[in-house]
Amino acid sequence: MVVWSIDPKDFLQPPAAAIARSVLSQASTGAIVLLHYGGGNRQQTVEALSAIIPKLKQQGYRFVTVPQLLQMQAGQKQRIAERKSQ
């Protein structure tokens, strides 16, 4: 099971700036952001993405799929286990 770690509550339709601020203030390596694309007008969410994506890229983050993230985490755990056994 995979769950999100950042929920800017965009389903409440806050202004785009508030959504972006929430995501950017909580961003961390491996974070999963929950954003909604259905259930009514999501213009604020779309607008927020135009601020969120470039800023996170500028900070060195990259975007991966959930399977890629899980694979990266498994590799990291393996490297840690190998170091401990040495």
Side-chain angles (χ1 to χ4, degrees), residues 10-13 36-46:
D10 66 316
F11 63 90
L12 295 174
Q13 299 183 324
H36 298 81
Y37 65 91
N41 184 349
R42 296 292 169 212
Q43 187 61 37
Q44 296 94 324
T45 300
V46 173

Side-chain angles (χ1 to χ4, degrees), residues 11-81:
F11 63 90
L12 295 174
Q13 299 183 324
I19 296 169
R21 200 170 33 252
S22 177
V23 171
L24 294 171
S25 69
Q26 298 178 72
S28 63
T29 301
I32 297 176
V33 181
L34 173 65
L35 294 171
H36 298 81
Y37 65 91
N41 184 349
R42 296 292 169 212
Q43 187 61 37
Q44 296 94 324
T45 300
V46 173
E47 289 176 22
L49 285 171
S50 67
I52 293 167
I53 292 171
K55 186 67 173 176
L56 290 177
K57 284 184 174 182
Q58 180 184 34
Q59 294 175 7
Y61 290 101
R62 61 188 177 114
F63 298 85
V64 298
T65 64
V66 170
Q68 289 171 319
L69 179 61
L70 294 174
Q71 185 176 30
M72 291 165 60
Q73 289 174 338
Q76 183 179 25
K77 287 179 184 178
Q78 178 65 32
R79 287 188 297 278
I80 290 170

